[in-house]
Amino acid sequence: MSRRRKGRDVNGILVIDKPLGVTSNGILQQVKRLFGAAKAGHTGALDPLATGVLPLCFGEATKFSQMMLDSDKAYIATARLGISTETGDSEGAIVTEKPVPAGLCSDVLEPILDRFRGDIQQVPSMYSALKHKGRPLYEYAREGIEVERPARPVTIYELTLLDIRENELDIAVSCTKGTYIRSLVEDIGEALGCGAHVTALRRTMASGFTLANAHVVKDLEDMRERGESLDGLLVAPDAALSMFPEHHLAGPALVSILNGQPVRIPGRAHEGFVRIYAKESRNEGFVGLAEAFPEGEETNLVPRRLVKSSGKP
């Protein structure tokens, strides 16, 4: 006997401005209930301390959540100098307190910040969600167990000093996936010789979405109370895939892709993932993602993630 599916089919992406003090999963479940959606997921958790851009995927859009998780991110962070904590943020117990160097100014800070621009090696925090033997590191940390963590390569595209106060810095960071802002702030504090931790963190961009695209949960609740549909707030799944070039198919090639079969097309396409659209209807013809393998003057397209319907959500 099959289990009845709870909720309705909802397809698309909604960007939420996550508030302070709640988990990403808590917001996901709240919004999922507001939509009455059967299937939903987020694209990378923000700590309760963090606020800002949190894209939520519904239905068919969940097929692309990993690609969104792998996308670049941007943040604004406040670093408290002179105090190091267990967790690297203000929620952890204080570990050390040291005097902040006198006379901090941009001339002093810029050479230090420059050490962390570009390709760097970063050791993840013990309070991260990275897993070791099937368990997240933060579980070991809470038990007082230190796990050896190899440094990982990340790229800091931009690291901008926004403001300097007596014992605080505001920085803007644009970076690759897997970058831990807490670890970055801790490393900056160590380079200054006084330690540091994050007191505020706001994600300003993820998966190509910015705060300008984000909705506040309270507004969604107000819409529901007025009896208004929330579906018009959703954007199509391909809105988060603009980093991949697009390719248009028609006829037998399109039919083969829709049936999950690889096709060989003339010309050399971009190697890697490409967005596939039905040639006959550009605006509503998103088919999904395929992987392109150029061979000579032709290209093999192998379907990887296909949507059930090419229409908008």
Side-chain angles (χ1 to χ4, degrees), residues 80 82-97 125 127 182 186 195-199:
R80 170 65 163 87
I83 297 176
S84 299
T85 69
E86 285 184 337
T87 58
D89 59 31
S90 55
E91 296 184 339
I94 294 175
V95 176
T96 62
E97 293 189 61
S125 167
Y127 284 85
R182 285 178 298 172
E186 287 180 310
H197 68 275
V198 172
T199 58

Side-chain angles (χ1 to χ4, degrees), residues 84-123:
S84 299
T85 69
E86 285 184 337
T87 58
D89 59 31
S90 55
E91 296 184 339
I94 294 175
V95 176
T96 62
E97 293 189 61
K98 296 180 181 179
V100 178
L104 278 186
C105 62
S106 60
D107 289 342
V108 174
L109 287 165
E110 282 297 335
I112 290 175
L113 295 181
D114 201 46
R115 302 181 197 175
F116 301 98
R117 295 180 175 122
D119 298 330
I120 65 171
Q121 296 287 321
Q122 187 181 72
V123 178

Side-chain angles (χ1 to χ4, degrees), residues 22-285:
V22 295
T23 66
S24 295
N25 188 61
I27 288 294
L28 170 67
Q29 298 306 322
Q30 187 176 356
V31 176
K32 183 180 177 183
R33 286 193 297 270
L34 288 171
F35 274 86
K39 185 177 183 180
H42 61 66
T43 57
L46 284 171
D47 293 335
L49 173 77
T51 67
V53 175
L54 180 67
L56 305 181
C57 294
F58 294 88
E60 292 296 288
T62 60
K63 294 178 178 178
F64 309 101
S65 58
Q66 184 60 49
M67 285 78 177
M68 297 170 67
L69 182 63
D70 291 344
S71 67
D72 296 334
K73 310 289 191 300
Y75 303 86
I76 291 176
T78 297
R80 170 65 163 87
L81 304 178
I83 297 176
S84 299
T85 69
E86 285 184 337
T87 58
D89 59 31
S90 55
E91 296 184 339
I94 294 175
V95 176
T96 62
E97 293 189 61
K98 296 180 181 179
V100 178
L104 278 186
C105 62
S106 60
D107 289 342
V108 174
L109 287 165
E110 282 297 335
I112 290 175
L113 295 181
D114 201 46
R115 302 181 197 175
F116 301 98
R117 295 180 175 122
D119 298 330
I120 65 171
Q121 296 287 321
Q122 187 181 72
V123 178
S125 167
M126 268 302 299
Y127 284 85
S128 70
L130 282 178
K131 290 189 176 180
H132 174 74
K133 295 184 177 179
R135 296 177 63 198
L137 287 176
Y138 62 76
E139 290 187 0
Y140 292 98
R142 289 168 182 169
E143 296 171 2
I145 301 172
E146 182 82 12
V147 175
E148 185 175 351
R149 299 154 343 260
R152 306 192 311 169
V154 297
T155 301
I156 308 296
Y157 299 119
E158 295 181 11
L159 176 54
T160 304
L161 179 63
L162 300 178
D163 193 18
I164 310 170
R165 294 177 291 281
E166 182 178 357
N167 56 8
E168 286 186 331
L169 305 176
D170 292 335
I171 56 175
V173 184
S174 175
C175 55
T176 54
K177 68 166 186 172
T179 302
Y180 289 94
I181 305 302
R182 285 178 298 172
S183 296
L184 176 64
V185 165
E186 287 180 310
D187 291 343
I188 292 171
E190 184 177 345
L192 285 168
C194 62
H197 68 275
V198 172
T199 58
L201 181 63
R202 185 154 176 78
R203 188 156 70 185
T204 57
M205 189 276 290
S207 306
F209 297 112
T210 68
L211 289 167
N213 308 118
H215 300 275
V216 178
V217 174
K218 179 63 167 60
D219 293 340
L220 306 184
E221 293 173 336
D222 291 344
M223 288 179 65
R224 280 299 306 270
E225 287 183 7
R226 295 192 298 265
E228 300 174 17
S229 173
L230 303 179
D231 290 6
L233 303 178
L234 296 168
V235 297
D238 58 326
L241 304 173
S242 59
M243 73 287 286
F244 303 125
E246 62 184 69
H247 196 82
H248 300 261
L249 296 178
L254 176 60
V255 172
S256 294
I257 285 289
L258 290 173
N259 287 329
Q261 301 169 346
V263 298
R264 196 173 184 87
I265 61 173
R268 289 184 62 85
H270 169 87
E271 184 172 4
F273 286 115
V274 294
R275 290 173 288 149
I276 301 297
Y277 292 90
K279 205 169 190 177
E280 293 85 354
S281 55
R282 170 63 182 88
N283 291 330
E284 297 186 352

